[in-house]
Amino acid sequence: MSAFFITGTDTEIGKTFVTCTLLHAARARGLTALGMKPIAAGAEMVNGEFLNEDAARIRAACSFDPGLALLNPYCLASPIAPHIAATEEGVTLETGRILDAFAALKGKADLVLVEGVGGFRVPLSDDYDTADLARDLALPVIIVVGMRLGCINHALLTAEAVAARGLKIVGWVANQVDPAMLRFDQNLEALKARMPAPLLGVVRFQADGNAAAAAADLRLPLPA
Ligand SMILES: Nc1ncnc2c1ncn2[C@@H]1O[C@H](COP(=O)(O)OP(=O)(O)OP(=O)(O)O)[C@@H](O)[C@H]1O
Ligand SMILES: C[C@H](N)[C@H](N)CCCCCC(=O)O
Ligand SMILES: [Mg+2]
């Protein structure tokens, strides 16, 4: 069984999109693959379920539906910083509940991908953040770089922060979240020369939003 923590250079840069692409890539290799969104912010009632969009997209890319209790243990209502949403909703984000859900998912799959929320250092309470959660999950990390002006700085800072928590960066993905980005190739080369881990692939902008279509372009950091 393999598992990875998926972080990114910011919110809205393609962590979920790439998580889904990686899930499809794993399934194409015959693996049973599940995704997890431990904490989500922004949800509404959909067919009787209080559902976050990331959780829905990840669920659709999983080999099977493990149930939202395991896939998305904390689903907050407002699409804002999760520690603010949790306080407003009177919710305490318990690490133990997340670790228990993750352990249950691990027992059901060959591969589990755990998507963070926002960037790498998002507060979850007064003295705990998503970097602490990544450390407590003790998973190797994949960094999704949303390719847009400013991403070089954000990518290198994120890599530094991940390493500072003693976590291994097994690779990074260049996600073409902005098809209008100027000098894409030169920015990609700048990152390849500076990022402390291998490029797992480039996910091109998919106008139809189909994350599965890019699966063949990504190398899974798994034993051959
Ligand atoms: N390569 C891509 N091609 C087409 N659309 C993309 C691509 N990457 C991201 N998007 C779109 O950009 C938006 C933001 O992407 P996504 O939801 O994956 O970001 P995120 O980093 O997971 O955000 P959050 O921090 O909220 O979890 C979504 O509408 C997604 O479908
Ligand atoms: C609502 C949004 N799409 C994300 N799920 C949450 C992003 C939190 C960002 C917190 C911050 O870094 O300012
Ligand atoms: Mg997401």
Side-chain angles (χ1 to χ4, degrees):
M1 202 294 298
S2 300
F4 301 97
F5 187 80
I6 311 291
T7 192
T9 45
D10 200 351
T11 185
E12 296 295 305
I13 54 86
K15 296 187 301 297
T16 302
F17 197 92
V18 170
T19 296
C20 293
T21 301
L22 287 166
L23 289 170
H24 286 293
R27 291 169 62 187
R29 282 179 52 171
L31 298 174
T32 299
L34 295 176
M36 184 184 189
K37 179 77 175 182
I39 299 154
E44 54 191 25
M45 289 305 291
V46 178
N47 300 327
E49 290 183 311
F50 190 58
L51 195 56
N52 165 265
E53 184 192 346
D54 284 17
R57 288 159 58 196
I58 288 171
R59 181 168 66 177
C62 288
S63 294
F64 61 89
D65 179 357
L68 285 176
L70 296 183
L71 192 154
N72 182 215
Y74 289 104
C75 186
L76 301 164
S78 303
I80 59 177
H83 76 290
I84 299 172
T87 301
E88 288 178 355
E89 297 175 37
V91 172
T92 301
L93 303 171
E94 301 284 356
T95 305
R97 181 168 154 191
I98 294 170
L99 297 181
D100 290 346
F102 172 65
L105 290 174
K106 277 200 311 186
K108 300 173 180 287
D110 300 311
L111 172 71
V112 179
L113 299 179
V114 182
E115 181 193 349
V117 51
F120 186 62
R121 291 283 326 265
V122 171
L124 299 175
S125 68
D126 289 344
D127 56 5
Y128 194 82
D129 67 13
T130 47
D132 295 316
L133 177 61
R135 180 205 57 212
D136 290 344
L137 284 163
L139 297 177
V141 176
I142 294 172
I143 298 174
V144 177
V145 178
M147 297 297 286
R148 62 189 187 196
L149 187 60
C151 69
I152 298 172
N153 171 57
H154 288 170
L156 298 179
L157 285 174
T158 301
E160 274 187 12
V162 172
R165 291 306 170 104
L167 296 173
K168 179 172 175 52
I169 305 167
V170 292
W172 63 281
V173 175
N175 180 47
Q176 192 177 31
V177 69
D178 175 6
M181 179 185 195
L182 298 178
R183 309 297 187 277
F184 180 92
D185 291 344
Q186 291 92 320
N187 279 273
L188 186 66
E189 289 310 312
L191 283 163
K192 285 163 73 174
R194 292 166 177 82
M195 284 293 277
L199 174 65
L200 300 177
V202 175
V203 174
R204 294 293 174 184
F205 185 77
Q206 307 291 324
D208 63 0
N210 180 7
D217 298 331
L218 284 187
R219 177 167 60 83
L220 283 164
L222 297 174

